Amino acid sequence: MATYHSVLETVRDLKAKHGDQWATITPKNAARVFAQNRFKTGLDIAKYTAAIMRKDMAAYDADSSQYTQSLGCWHGFVAQQKMIAVKKHKGATNKTYLYLSGWMVAALRSEFGPLPDQSMHEKTAVPKLIEEIYTFLRQADAIELNDLFRRLDAGEDVQAEIDNFETHVVPIIADIDAGFGNEEATYLLAKKMIEAGACALQIENQVSDAKQCGHQDGKVTVPHEDFIAKLNALRYAFLELGVEEGVIVARTDSEGAGLTQKLPVSREKGDLASQYMDFIEAEEVTLEETNENDVLFKRNDQLVRPIRLHNGLYKFKEGSNIDRVVLDCITSLQHGADLLWIETPTPNVKQIAHMVNRVKEKVPNAKLVYNNSPSFNWTINFRQQAYDLMKAAGEDISSYNRAELMDEKYDHTALSHRADEMIRTFQREASLKAGVFHHLITLPTYHTTALHMNDLVEGYFGDMGMLAYVDAVQRQEIRKGVACVKHQRMAGSDLGDDHKTFFAGDQALKAGGTKNTSNQFDTVKSEKNLELVLDK
């Protein structure tokens, strides 16, 4: 693999070869621009990040406290600022991923405008967002390295920091919904997503053209044979593109799905199709009780008629959902999936563990990607869990009304403190007890954007005027060392100035002169993260 120092030698050799024709090309500058773009293609990224995920999965198998985390990002800038903040606050990017949510693509990135999470958005929007995210992450690399090179030019001893630079590029788990069509369509889209840089693809077992958000009603699942075909399509896409360690996340929506579109063909008793058919709700009938064109089949030597809705969909038996989840998970892992995703109605460690432990009876190293979803009301769920635990322990709960625990009057009670502690430790507990390898929040940046805009608007268009922005935004950016407080630099202005100097020498027209108002932020320099802040 080429390095900063090997590029120096290569360019020196090329200069000797080309003579005066390359007289204005400087080996040091060439090595700098090379270092600023470690990943030349999306496939380079996919291969690099797939290896990271495989290493992390092995570490989790050895120690279930070693779980990983991500936040859903709907724009490259959001992902970039997340990873800059991760490096600043954690000191490293290890065990930190990015999640690309199909919900947010539909709601925020479709040319149709905001759409529900029903696979109605353009399938090309997903690989485009992956590419966009990695473009912004690579720019974060270039900007931070450029700062280091400037310090090196100024005489600081930062060569070790340059040589050991940690990239902002981390794995993306990308949502391919239900595959956007048949297995060939899934394969073609998967290739585009992998070529853009995705090392992990998450696919769900819903009917593609009837897909619903996992936290809404009306979900329709497909027989296992149909889903296995799509798992195969993803694996072939990874293999074709040379991403041998690509990760497949198989999601089951069976916990909340009560309908199926197809009745699979059973070829022998007890096969997958037969097991799927056993879940179908049906009533015993005689031939005399049947209607013209009824669908009939034999179950336990009895003639039965499946319950079919007016839209032609078939109902599953009430109470069969957990058994279907377990069978879905086992089948997926036995047919090429690497990780599981189980959509649950509430974030309850015991409920998740109940399902996962049944899966582990067949596949001991089963691991989950779990959606810490904003669709859950985390406050009411955990206050009710805390209430139930207190009641079971015989504690005094007379001052609490279980149905009203969202009320602010309970915010500083012993119950609320217990519930908040359960929320704080939820990810750790779910990883230790319920097989969760990766925790993600699908839509956090959607909600933070809405909340922050609400607060800014309230003050700015109210009595605070400009102080609403200065106090709540700019002053906080400065004092907390937020990277984009100097937004010109974040957009690449300093980097561009240095590049123009490489290209044009003393004739370069640069933006960073004395009349650049960003200089107002240069009064104090933070040695830790190179962010410039105002002198207090």
Side-chain angles (χ1 to χ4, degrees):
M1 177 179 172
T3 65
Y4 175 81
H5 297 289
S6 67
V7 172
L8 279 174
E9 293 304 317
T10 298
V11 177
R12 286 172 183 147
D13 291 343
L14 288 169
K15 281 178 65 70
K17 175 182 176 181
H18 292 283
D20 292 343
Q21 188 180 2
W22 281 44
T24 55
I25 300 298
T26 304
K28 183 185 75 170
N29 293 343
R32 280 178 60 166
V33 295
F34 171 85
Q36 290 168 0
N37 185 19
R38 172 179 174 180
F39 303 98
K40 312 309 177 189
T41 70
L43 285 178
D44 291 339
I45 293 173
K47 293 173 184 178
Y48 167 77
T49 53
I52 290 174
M53 283 197 69
R54 292 290 178 177
K55 180 180 178 182
D56 288 344
M57 290 160 66
Y60 178 83
D61 285 340
D63 179 358
S64 58
S65 70
Q66 300 300 304
Y67 60 89
T68 57
Q69 298 170 293
S70 67
L71 297 172
C73 298
W74 54 271
H75 192 279
F77 176 72
V78 176
Q80 179 196 66
Q81 293 305 301
K82 171 194 162 181
M83 292 314 305
I84 289 173
V86 164
K87 286 189 71 174
K88 182 174 73 173
H89 294 296
K90 282 185 58 180
T93 65
N94 62 302
K95 294 182 170 50
T96 302
Y97 303 166
L98 292 158
Y99 181 65
L100 188 153
S101 160
W103 192 101
M104 284 206 285
V105 173
L108 300 171
R109 301 301 299 254
S110 172
E111 293 183 9
F112 290 98
L115 294 172
D117 184 21
Q118 297 172 0
S119 291
M120 295 164 62
H121 55 279
E122 308 87 347
K123 64 177 70 176
T124 53
V126 185
K128 284 181 179 177
L129 179 53
I130 297 169
E131 182 180 14
E132 175 183 292
I133 285 173
Y134 281 128
T135 297
F136 273 81
L137 295 184
R138 286 187 288 184
Q139 186 194 40
D141 282 358
I143 290 169
E144 187 174 339
L145 278 164
N146 194 63
D147 288 346
L148 287 170
F149 282 121
R150 283 187 168 194
R151 291 172 61 192
L152 187 68
D153 290 343
E156 292 188 52
D157 184 13
V158 293
Q159 188 62 57
E161 292 182 56
I162 294 170
D163 294 340
N164 299 303
F165 179 79
E166 183 179 42
T167 178
H168 295 83
V169 169
V170 295
I172 281 181
I173 298 176
D175 187 357
I176 197 170
D177 278 16
F180 286 87
N182 62 24
E183 53 268 34
E184 173 69 5
T186 301
Y187 156 77
L188 293 172
L189 177 56
K191 287 205 300 180
K192 290 296 183 184
M193 294 169 70
I194 298 163
E195 287 170 341
C199 72
L201 301 178
Q202 169 222 326
I203 188 165
E204 60 207 61
N205 68 336
Q206 291 192 48
V207 174
S208 184
D209 60 355
K211 181 256 191 295
Q212 292 277 18
C213 173
H215 290 274
Q216 293 186 317
D217 205 356
K219 294 182 287 295
V220 184
T221 61
V222 298
H224 297 101
E225 294 85 349
D226 291 21
F227 193 57
I228 290 169
K230 291 193 174 182
L231 296 179
N232 289 338
L234 299 187
R235 184 60 66 202
Y236 277 111
F238 276 123
L239 292 174
E240 178 181 341
L241 296 171
V243 185
E244 297 173 3
E245 295 187 294
V247 176
I248 297 174
V249 182
R251 169 175 147 181
T252 174
D253 281 293
S254 289
E255 198 286 332
L259 302 169
T260 187
Q261 194 176 58
K262 291 171 64 175
L263 300 178
V265 177
S266 175
R267 291 177 171 80
E268 58 182 73
K269 187 175 181 179
D271 64 11
L272 271 177
S274 177
Q275 293 178 70
Y276 194 80
M277 292 287 286
D278 284 344
F279 292 125
I280 302 297
E281 185 177 335
E283 56 185 353
E284 291 186 10
V285 293
T286 64
L287 283 175
E288 290 75 23
E289 295 173 319
T290 60
N291 301 314
E292 192 75 14
N293 294 322
D294 264 354
V295 174
L296 307 171
F297 59 88
K298 186 173 78 169
R299 174 183 288 169
N300 299 325
D301 294 325
Q302 297 291 325
L303 187 66
V304 298
R305 176 170 55 199
I307 303 301
R308 186 162 53 162
L309 305 183
H310 292 300
N311 56 16
L313 299 174
Y314 297 93
K315 290 185 65 176
F316 287 115
K317 295 176 184 177
E318 290 293 328
S320 67
N321 56 334
I322 303 303
D323 290 336
R324 286 186 279 121
V325 165
V326 172
L327 181 59
D328 291 346
C329 290
I330 293 170
T331 302
S332 293
L333 291 174
Q334 290 176 339
H335 291 84
D338 302 294
L339 297 169
L340 301 171
W341 174 311
I342 300 174
E343 284 288 7
T344 64
T346 61
N348 186 300
V349 173
K350 288 184 178 179
Q351 291 175 359
I352 303 166
H354 172 69
M355 292 182 281
V356 174
N357 288 335
R358 288 182 59 188
V359 175
K360 285 187 172 184
E361 292 174 6
K362 296 290 186 180
V363 187
N365 69 338
K367 293 180 284 297
L368 258 64
V369 172
Y370 188 71
N371 177 9
N372 293 232
S373 176
S375 292
F376 302 141
N377 184 329
W378 286 77
T379 300
I380 194 67
N381 269 293
F382 279 88
R383 286 184 181 182
Q384 289 178 346
Q385 288 181 44
Y387 178 96
D388 294 341
L389 288 171
M390 292 171 68
K391 182 179 179 180
E395 298 180 40
D396 181 11
I397 54 172
S398 60
S399 59
Y400 304 109
N401 183 334
R402 192 179 188 279
E404 298 177 355
L405 290 176
M406 191 67 198
D407 196 298
E408 288 185 32
K409 68 183 180 183
Y410 296 120
D411 281 359
H412 300 291
T413 61
L415 182 146
S416 72
H417 293 319
R418 182 178 297 192
D420 284 352
E421 180 63 11
M422 291 170 67
I423 294 171
R424 187 185 72 82
T425 60
F426 171 79
Q427 294 188 342
R428 183 185 70 198
E429 292 296 301
S431 292
L432 290 173
K433 299 175 182 178
V436 179
F437 158 72
H438 184 75
H439 285 279
L440 60 90
I441 309 177
T442 44
L443 317 176
T445 51
Y446 178 91
H447 290 282
T448 52
T449 301
L451 176 63
H452 293 163
M453 186 53 66
N454 174 80
D455 294 347
L456 178 60
V457 164
E458 181 182 19
Y460 181 73
F461 292 99
D463 294 336
M464 292 186 71
M466 193 58 196
L467 182 59
Y469 173 77
V470 172
D471 180 56
V473 181
Q474 189 181 74
R475 194 173 291 160
Q476 300 306 313
E477 287 181 313
I478 293 168
R479 290 176 176 171
K480 294 178 180 179
V482 175
C484 68
V485 66
K486 291 187 67 174
H487 49 264
Q488 307 286 12
R489 168 188 168 274
M490 199 71 253
S493 181
D494 291 355
L495 181 67
D497 275 0
D498 286 358
H499 286 173
K500 285 185 283 187
T501 303
F502 299 168
F503 309 149
D506 293 339
Q507 296 180 2
L509 183 62
K510 297 187 287 186
T514 57
K515 293 186 178 182
N516 188 321
T517 56
S518 291
N519 296 333
Q520 297 170 26
F521 297 89
D522 289 349
T523 310
V524 174
K525 180 178 289 187
S526 165
E527 294 180 358
K528 182 178 179 182
N529 56 50
L530 303 181
E531 302 302 336
L532 301 177
V533 298
L534 287 179
D535 187 3
K536 300 176 184 179

